[in-house]
Amino acid sequence: MEKQRENQIEQDELFRFWFAGLKGIGNREKIQLTKEFPQKKTLYYIEETALKKRLKEKWTEGKAETITQIIQEGKRRWSKEIVAEWQKKGIALVTYEQEKYPDRLRNISSPPYALYVMGKLPEKGRRTAAIVGARNCTYYGETYARKIGKILSEAGISVISGMARGIDAAGQRGAIHGSGGTFGILGSGVDICYPKENRGLYEDLKKYGGILSEQQPGSPPLAQYFPARNRLISGLADVVIIIEARERSGSLITADMALEQGKDVYALPGSVDSQLSRGCNRLIKQGAGIILSPEELLEELNICGNFVKNLTETKIILETEQNIVYSCLDLNPKSIGQILAETKLSIPELMRQLVSLEMNGKIKEISKGYYVRGNW
């Protein structure tokens, strides 16, 4: 009896893979068809004339005809062997009618019918935050993204992002080892690592969180997939955090989608002279929450007071000369000449302290003779 039940579940998944992959039928129509045909096996085996008759009761004759043709063509093209290959790669399918489908996505204006998944889904009931921003980011933005991702995940919040180079990747790398986990939403099939240089992050996401996409496995990262991907990032998040964005960028599209979905948006302020901060500064002017520190962000999000207190009370204990040099630095690069002028130390003493601080990971030389504080 148990074996029979397992076979039934396996068959149901095969037919849901078939239905999810039908090209030419939108998400809304697939969800409507699901209400009419809860078991996709029934839809697969129904005769063409009977199917057309039932569809005419729901849609116009022309639309019923088109959908019937797509379904018939989909039967001819479908290959169980391809699905078997996807499953060997660890690709699972979650569809709208299943209980495990993310509740947050049910509530957006255009929910996807299907999600292809490697790893896990975000845990139901656990708070989530999206971290997105510029691909060609600054050290300042990258450091804040990593720090915020880390403390959010340590506080039990799942971090959602797009696994893009720059801010997205930094936020997810920071979040990987926290209890909240992190989830990458791709604008390609889940079996396509894009960009290629994020291969290490891609493999880690499968272990410490998950990779999700509404595109079929094997789908390349086409430009038209990314705006649709952004609605899933904001849809899966309780709050969206923008760290560095130009005035016209995909991150601002994600922010707009979040606002339409009723989500809170926070932005990291930056220099008025920086092109990469203009989008964030504009969002703040329009009413977005401002990130003054990772600790204050946690307080804004009503994270456990003791957790914030412990973070705030953690101080770096340094000797006097080291502290003078360390206090002089921040996330904006400073030259040795600037540091000399501000610290009033001798050149030999300054160089000794710079070497010591860098060896301990407290500061970092990002280009010849220019220093910033190290990753927190």
Side-chain angles (χ1 to χ4, degrees):
M1 190 68 178
E2 185 64 29
K3 186 68 174 176
Q4 194 175 22
R5 183 174 171 275
E6 287 176 6
N7 289 338
Q8 180 62 47
I9 292 171
E10 187 178 328
Q11 272 211 341
D12 287 346
E13 184 169 39
L14 280 173
F15 286 109
R16 284 189 296 105
F17 265 110
W18 161 73
F19 181 66
L22 291 175
K23 302 292 186 185
I25 304 177
N27 286 313
R28 186 172 298 175
E29 286 81 8
K30 283 180 180 174
I31 291 169
Q32 288 176 311
L33 278 167
T34 288
K35 293 173 183 175
E36 187 72 16
F37 297 94
Q39 300 298 320
K40 301 305 172 289
K41 182 179 178 180
T42 305
L43 180 60
Y44 186 86
Y45 284 112
I46 191 172
E47 290 185 0
E48 185 174 351
T49 52
L51 173 61
K52 197 180 300 182
K53 182 180 177 181
R54 286 180 66 171
L55 294 184
K56 284 179 183 177
E57 295 171 5
K58 300 289 180 182
W59 289 302
T60 64
E61 184 172 351
K63 191 168 186 178
E65 179 76 36
T66 299
I67 290 176
T68 300
Q69 288 176 0
I70 290 170
I71 289 172
Q72 295 304 116
E73 180 64 23
K75 291 178 188 179
R76 288 189 286 271
R77 290 178 178 271
W78 187 47
S79 167
K80 292 182 181 180
E81 287 73 24
I82 290 176
V83 174
E85 286 299 315
W86 293 344
Q87 290 174 324
K88 281 181 185 176
K89 291 180 180 180
I91 299 171
L93 180 71
V94 178
T95 53
Y96 189 85
E97 67 267 32
Q98 292 183 289
E99 186 180 345
K100 60 185 175 181
Y101 184 92
D103 293 330
R104 291 178 180 88
L105 292 184
R106 292 188 195 278
N107 299 323
I108 66 175
S109 61
S110 55
Y113 167 70
L115 292 171
Y116 299 91
V117 182
M118 296 183 83
K120 297 180 290 189
L121 286 167
E123 185 181 330
K124 290 197 175 190
R126 187 182 288 275
R127 295 180 69 181
T128 54
I131 299 177
V132 296
R135 286 174 169 79
N136 298 314
C137 61
T138 65
Y139 182 80
Y140 163 75
E142 182 182 2
T143 301
Y144 263 98
R146 190 184 292 267
K147 174 65 173 176
I148 290 170
K150 181 175 184 286
I151 65 172
L152 286 175
S153 186
E154 286 175 345
I157 296 176
S158 295
V159 172
I160 311 293
S161 199
M163 211 190 82
R165 63 174 62 91
I167 295 300
D168 291 33
Q172 295 196 277
R173 287 191 177 101
I176 277 174
H177 298 296
S179 63
T182 179
F183 300 84
I185 319 302
L186 304 190
S188 63
V190 292
D191 56 338
I192 305 291
C193 177
Y194 178 80
K196 289 181 179 179
E197 64 260 33
N198 282 350
R199 170 60 67 178
L201 175 61
Y202 175 85
E203 296 299 332
D204 282 342
L205 286 176
K206 290 190 285 185
K207 290 188 287 186
Y208 300 107
I211 298 171
L212 289 68
S213 177
E214 66 179 321
Q215 307 303 330
Q216 265 198 332
S219 300
L222 301 180
Q224 63 262 33
Y225 294 156
F226 287 89
R229 183 277 303 266
N230 291 347
R231 90 189 190 287
L232 301 186
I233 293 175
S234 59
L236 283 166
D238 296 322
V239 60
V240 173
I241 298 164
I242 311 294
I243 298 180
E244 292 195 323
R246 297 179 184 275
E247 284 195 281
R248 296 176 183 273
S249 73
S251 301
L252 298 190
I253 294 172
T254 306
D256 288 341
M257 289 175 172
L259 293 171
E260 288 172 9
Q261 293 163 355
K263 312 292 177 70
D264 289 330
V265 173
Y266 287 82
L268 181 73
S271 168
V272 294
D273 296 323
S274 171
Q275 294 288 334
L276 285 172
S277 290
R278 287 193 176 180
C280 288
N281 292 343
R282 181 77 62 190
L283 283 173
I284 293 166
K285 182 180 178 182
Q286 293 169 350
I290 183 170
I291 300 172
L292 297 177
S293 74
E295 292 76 23
E296 285 192 32
L297 175 63
L298 290 182
E299 290 176 346
E300 285 272 342
L301 299 177
N302 296 315
I303 305 302
C304 171
N306 286 336
F307 184 83
V308 176
K309 184 171 180 287
N310 291 339
L311 278 173
T312 306
E313 289 180 349
T314 301
K315 297 183 183 298
I316 297 174
I317 300 172
L318 301 170
E319 295 178 5
T320 304
E321 289 79 7
Q322 286 183 330
N323 193 48
I324 290 170
V325 176
Y326 182 80
S327 299
C328 163
L329 295 170
D330 53 32
L331 298 182
N332 295 306
K334 286 187 178 180
S335 68
I336 290 176
Q338 289 174 289
I339 302 169
L340 272 172
E342 291 182 34
T343 62
K344 311 299 184 187
L345 295 173
S346 66
I347 290 179
E349 182 62 32
L350 174 61
M351 297 310 297
R352 187 159 46 247
Q353 299 307 332
L354 287 173
V355 170
S356 176
L357 286 166
E358 188 171 19
M359 286 179 66
N360 290 324
K362 307 302 183 189
I363 68 172
K364 184 176 181 180
E365 186 178 22
I366 61 168
S367 61
K368 187 66 176 176
Y370 283 81
Y371 293 85
V372 293
R373 287 193 182 182
N375 287 335
W376 302 340

